[in-house]
Amino acid sequence: MDIIHLLPDSVANQIAAGEVIQRPASCLKELVENSLDAGASRIQVIVRDAGRTLLQVIDDGSGMSETDARMAFERHATSKIATAQDLFALRTMGFRGEALASICAVAQVEVMTRRKEDEMGTFLEIHGSDVVRQEPCQCPVGTNFKVKNLFFNVPVRRKFLKTDQTELRNLLTEFYHIVLVYPKVQFTFVHNDEILLELPSGTEKQRIEAIFGKSGGKSYTGQFVDVATDTELVSIRGFIGKPEAATKNAQQYFFVNGRYMRHPYFHKAIMTAYSGMLTGETNPSYFIYFDVAPETIDVNIHPTKTEIKFRDEQMIFQILMAAVRESLGKFNLTPSLDFNRDGEIEMPLGDLDASKPHVVFDPNYNPFRTSKYEGGTRGKERTVSNWEKLYAVPERPVVPVNQDQPAVLFDTPIADLTPYKYNKYLLLPSTAGLLLVHYRRAHIKVLYEQYIGQLSAGKGVSQQLLFPEVVDLSPDDMVLLAAIADELRFVGFELEQFSKTAYSVSGVPALLNAQDVQTALTNILHAVRETGASATDRWRRQIALALAKDTAIPYSKTLTDEEAKHLLDRLFALPDYRLTPDGKTICVLLSDTDLARKFE
Ligand code: ADP
Ligand code: MG
C-alpha cells in the first residue's frame, strides 16, 4: 500500500506558521508591515492581554478588492513580487506571501477592507484556515485586521508564551523597530484600553524623542550629533549620542533600506570610533540608517531573523567608522579626551602590530568618489600624534576569508593540525596566512551559541547539586529572577523560590562549577538588568553571554591538544567566528605579506 500523501493546506499552513509566527510580536510585525506596504499614513495597533486574546491593526492604506482579500490568505499569495528577478530589487517589507496564510492557520482572523474605488468593503472571517464568513460590509477605506486567540489550535505554542509583561515588551520592541523607520506615518499603540504610545507624523529625530524621551526630563535627542556620509557603496545617515551622554542602557539601532537589523560587526565599527571617549562600562546610543543598492544585501532573509548580510561589509565598516569619527570630531567632542595618555587608545590589532605604518584618516578622502587615489597620506611616513592616532583607520580586524565557507581556510582538516599554544593564543597555519586565535574568546563564542541554542530549544543540560544552594537576593533581583526563571531553566538551572528573599538552586548548567552558582547568577542578573526593560531575545543574549563567560576556560588553565582541536573545530563551524557576541576580536590573521613586511 502506498503511504505518502499530500498534507491538507490547513496542516501545511500550520507547520509553516511555526516558522513565521512564533509569538504575538511576530504577528504584529507582519500586520504592520503589510499596512506600510499598502501605503498607509495612519496605523493603529490595539492589543489585549499582550496579544494573546487580540491583536488588531487598522490602517488607511490601499485596501483590497473582494477577490484579493480572499487570495491574500493563500500560501505564497503576494502582490509584491512576480518573478525571481524582483527579489533583487525589493522595496517592500513583505514579499513572501506567507504571513497571512500563517496567521490565519493559528488564529481566528477577521478582516474588513475597502478600496477607495469600491462602494462596499469586504468582511471575511477565518478560523484556523477555514473561511467561516464572507460578506460585503460598510467600512472606511483601508484594512482592519483582527487576530483573535492566537495559537487557539496550537496549545503547545500557547503554553510556550511568556508572561504578559514579557510578551508586551516583545510587542513594543518589534513595534519600535518598525516605527523608527517610518517617522512620517502616524502610529498609536493601545494595550488593554490604555494608550501606550501616540506617535505623530514627524522627523526621525522627533520619532526617537517621542519614544525614548522622558516626559519632563531633558531632551534625549538634544544629546545627539548627526552622522551623514554618501558614497557609491552606501549612504549612511543617523544620530549618535555624545560620549558624555553614554549610559549603561544605551539605545542602539541599525536599519538598512527601511528595515531594522542587528549587525555586531558594524557595532564594532562604532565602538571603535568611540574608543577612548567612554568612561567605565557606558555605551553610546546610536540610530544609524543605511541605504544600499538592494542587490548588495541578502534579501532572502528568514522572516524572523534580523541579521542581514552585506556584500561590501568590510568597506562599509570603514566608511561607518570614519563617518562616526568625523561627526564626533566636527562637533568638537574630542577635546574631552585625555591627550597625555600615550598609546592607550584601544584599536583592533593595535597592540599586536604597533610597528605597522598607520593609515591616517583624511576626512575629505572618499575611496569611492575618486577612482585613482594615489596621493594623500597613505603610505607616507608621518609622525603620528595622539590626535591623529585617534583617526587612524585600523586594518580590518577580521580573517579575510569567505565568511560562508570556513572550510576553505585550511588545507588540512583541523583534526590533523596541532595548534601551537602561546600565551592566550592558539597559533595555526591556514591557507591565508598564520592564524592567531584567542582561545578564551573562542570558547566564549562557542558556548554562547550553544546556550542560545538551548534557550530557543528550551532544554539545556543540567547537573544536579548534591545539596541545593540557597541564593539570597535583593527585592529587585527577586523580581528580575522571577522574570527570567524560565530562560534560566532552559540553560540548565533548576531553581525555585525558597523564601521572599531567596531562591533555592538544585541544578546548574553542566559546565558550571557548583561553587560558582551565586556568582554566575549575580553576573546574569547584572547583565540582564543592564539591558533594561527590553525583549526576551535581548535578555537571552545577555544570559547566554554571561553564562558563556562564566563557563569558558579561564586563562589560568591550559588546553590539551584535543581540547584545542575540538574548540577550533566548533569555532570555525560557526558562520561568524571572527567576533565575540560583545564585539571582541577572536581571530587575527597574519598574512604572508604582513610577515614579509616584518622581515624587510
Ligand atoms: P506579503 O506581504 O509577503 O505579500 P502577506 O501574506 O503578508 O504576504 O500578504 C499577502 C497580500 O495581501 C499582500 O501581498 C497584499 O497584497 C495583501 N495585503 C495584506 N495586508 C494588507 C493591507 N493591510 N492592506 C492592503 N493589502 C494587504
Ligand atoms: Mg506581509
Side-chain angles (χ1 to χ4, degrees):
M1 191 181 75
D2 298 329
I3 50 172
I4 299 180
H5 56 90
L6 288 175
L7 287 175
D9 270 358
S10 58
V11 180
N13 284 343
Q14 206 172 322
I15 294 171
E19 292 263 307
V20 187
I21 307 299
Q22 293 164 336
R23 47 181 8 101
S26 22
C27 185
L28 176 75
K29 168 178 184 278
E30 296 297 341
L31 293 178
V32 176
E33 288 186 349
N34 279 347
S35 297
L36 289 164
D37 284 344
S41 60
R42 175 150 200 268
I43 298 175
Q44 283 171 274
V45 175
I46 300 169
V47 177
R48 231 166 237 298
D49 306 318
R52 239 177 270 268
T53 37
L54 175 72
L55 257 177
Q56 184 174 12
V57 175
I58 308 172
D59 70 50
D60 61 355
S62 63
M64 288 177 269
S65 72
E66 190 187 337
T67 324
D68 282 351
R70 201 45 199 269
M71 264 304 274
F73 291 94
E74 297 293 327
R75 200 132 57 98
H76 307 305
T78 179
S79 55
K80 298 166 197 173
I81 57 169
T83 66
Q85 211 48 41
D86 296 344
L87 272 176
F88 299 98
L90 278 181
R91 283 290 174 186
T92 53
M93 308 284 277
F95 61 90
R96 300 165 166 271
E98 287 179 328
L100 293 186
S102 301
I103 292 170
C104 80
V106 294
Q108 296 160 344
V109 176
E110 285 173 28
V111 58
M112 263 195 291
T113 184
R114 181 165 77 87
R115 298 183 302 177
K116 200 167 64 221
E117 60 266 43
D118 298 333
E119 208 152 285
M120 289 295 274
T122 306
F123 173 88
L124 202 61
E125 189 173 346
I126 300 179
H127 290 188
S129 296
D130 296 326
V131 179
V132 294
R133 204 144 65 102
Q134 173 169 4
E135 58 199 33
C137 72
Q138 295 269 322
C139 63
V141 171
T143 304
N144 181 338
F145 251 103
K146 269 190 198 173
V147 175
K148 296 200 274 190
N149 303 319
L150 189 62
F151 303 133
F152 79 101
N153 53 356
V154 200
V156 192
R157 275 279 160 165
R158 206 172 164 82
K159 249 172 78 185
F160 192 69
L161 293 179
K162 299 288 149 49
T163 59
D164 276 10
Q165 193 205 5
T166 306
E167 293 301 344
L168 178 61
R169 232 190 352 255
N170 286 334
L171 284 167
L172 285 170
T173 304
E174 206 63 70
F175 189 66
Y176 293 164
H177 292 169
I178 301 173
V179 300
L180 283 168
V181 261
Y182 288 89
K184 296 270 177 304
V185 178
Q186 202 184 326
F187 288 93
T188 38
F189 189 110
V190 177
H191 182 241
N192 291 348
D193 298 325
E194 192 189 341
I195 300 177
L196 296 190
L197 281 164
E198 187 132 47
L199 305 171
S201 167
T203 61
E204 273 146 3
K205 219 182 230 177
Q206 287 165 335
R207 178 63 42 102
I208 294 169
E209 187 69 47
I211 298 173
F212 300 109
K214 308 248 165 14
S215 47
K218 82 177 160 186
S219 152
Y220 179 68
T221 47
Q223 299 295 310
F224 283 2
V225 292
D226 292 355
V227 175
T229 192
D230 229 325
T231 69
E232 266 174 33
L233 270 188
V234 61
S235 121
I236 300 175
R237 297 171 306 103
F239 318 101
I240 54 173
K242 294 179 186 167
E244 63 266 30
T247 57
K248 290 200 165 176
N249 292 326
Q251 301 293 339
Q252 303 181 326
Y253 290 89
F254 283 132
F255 306 94
V256 59
N257 295 358
R259 244 178 242 273
Y260 167 80
M261 68 163 179
R262 278 188 2 96
H263 210 296
Y265 183 53
F266 290 166
H267 170 75
K268 172 131 186 163
I270 295 195
M271 296 311 284
T272 309
Y274 272 93
S275 52
M277 301 185 195
L278 300 169
T279 49
E281 295 235 298
T282 59
N283 287 307
S285 287
Y286 58 77
F287 298 80
I288 302 285
Y289 300 78
F290 297 88
D291 230 306
V292 297
E295 65 272 17
T296 65
I297 51 174
D298 184 359
V299 289
N300 201 11
I301 32 164
H302 190 272
T304 60
K305 285 214 173 106
T306 47
E307 265 99 6
I308 290 188
K309 277 216 173 73
F310 284 66
R311 192 186 63 198
D312 309 296
E313 211 162 67
Q314 278 145 15
M315 281 307 217
I316 295 176
F317 179 103
Q318 304 289 352
I319 297 169
L320 173 63
M321 184 170 62
V324 170
R325 283 208 175 126
E326 191 182 349
S327 298
L328 290 172
K330 193 154 58 192
F331 291 90
N332 257 339
L333 298 171
T334 35
S336 62
L337 278 173
D338 180 359
F339 285 97
N340 295 320
R341 285 193 323 182
D342 205 34
E344 271 182 41
I345 294 163
E346 204 194 306
M347 287 289 178
L349 280 195
D351 46 350
L352 243 168
D353 203 353
S355 61
K356 182 179 297 167
H358 281 280
V359 180
V360 178
F361 173 66
D362 165 4
N364 298 317
Y365 163 57
N366 173 344
F368 308 101
R369 270 184 209 132
T370 53
S371 53
K372 286 184 308 213
Y373 176 75
E374 294 297 349
T377 52
R378 192 181 283 265
K380 270 189 210 159
E381 274 306 320
R382 285 182 58 151
T383 40
V384 180
S385 70
N386 272 340
W387 174 272
E388 285 164 326
K389 223 183 250 170
L390 189 71
Y391 282 81
V393 178
E395 292 269 291
R396 52 182 191 214
V398 293
V399 189
V401 287
N402 187 339
Q403 198 184 325
D404 289 324
Q405 300 158 4
V408 305
L409 251 178
F410 306 101
D411 291 333
T412 336
I414 291 176
D416 297 342
L417 294 168
T418 304
Y420 183 80
K421 283 165 271 178
Y422 175 74
N423 231 321
K424 299 174 184 168
Y425 314 104
L426 299 172
L427 274 62
L428 68 165
S430 80
T431 51
L434 178 64
L435 198 59
L436 287 87
V437 178
H438 192 295
Y439 68 74
R440 182 172 145 81
R441 290 182 187 169
H443 200 199
I444 290 175
K445 173 79 180 179
V446 164
L447 289 172
Y448 171 82
E449 296 297 339
Q450 178 181 323
Y451 292 131
I452 287 288
Q454 292 175 356
L455 281 165
S456 41
K459 193 74 210 100
V461 188
S462 176
Q463 59 169 317
Q464 295 294 313
L465 295 181
L466 216 44
F467 303 103
E469 179 142 346
V470 174
V471 179
D472 292 312
L473 296 166
S474 66
D476 54 320
D477 277 351
M478 284 299 287
V479 176
L480 197 55
L481 188 58
I484 59 168
D486 274 348
E487 327 287 328
L488 293 178
R489 291 189 185 106
F490 293 164
V491 288
F493 282 99
E494 285 175 21
L495 72 184
E496 253 174 308
Q497 187 162 354
F498 177 74
S499 70
K500 272 211 159 94
T501 58
Y503 263 79
S504 131
V505 182
S506 54
V508 296
L511 291 169
L512 192 69
N513 279 330
Q515 61 269 34
D516 295 340
V517 178
Q518 171 100 38
T519 324
L521 277 180
T522 316
N523 288 345
I524 289 174
L525 287 169
H526 177 75
V528 168
R529 196 176 322 109
E530 300 286 84
T531 67
S534 58
T536 325
D537 66 326
R538 239 202 269 177
W539 280 7
R540 289 187 167 182
R541 293 199 286 274
Q542 293 301 331
I543 293 171
L545 181 59
L547 202 53
K549 285 182 174 170
D550 275 325
T551 48
I553 183 163
Y555 292 124
S556 55
K557 191 167 169 278
T558 39
L559 290 166
T560 65
D561 286 349
E562 278 317 303
E563 285 169 336
K565 281 182 205 176
H566 185 63
L567 175 62
L568 293 172
D569 225 14
R570 290 178 65 187
L571 178 70
F572 292 115
L574 298 174
D576 183 13
Y577 52 81
R578 303 167 301 180
L579 297 177
T580 62
D582 47 351
K584 298 212 172 89
T585 304
I586 297 174
C587 309
V588 163
L589 186 81
L590 285 178
S591 69
D592 293 347
T593 342
D594 290 337
L595 287 171
R597 209 185 306 142
K598 301 253 176 234
F599 288 100
E600 262 167 20

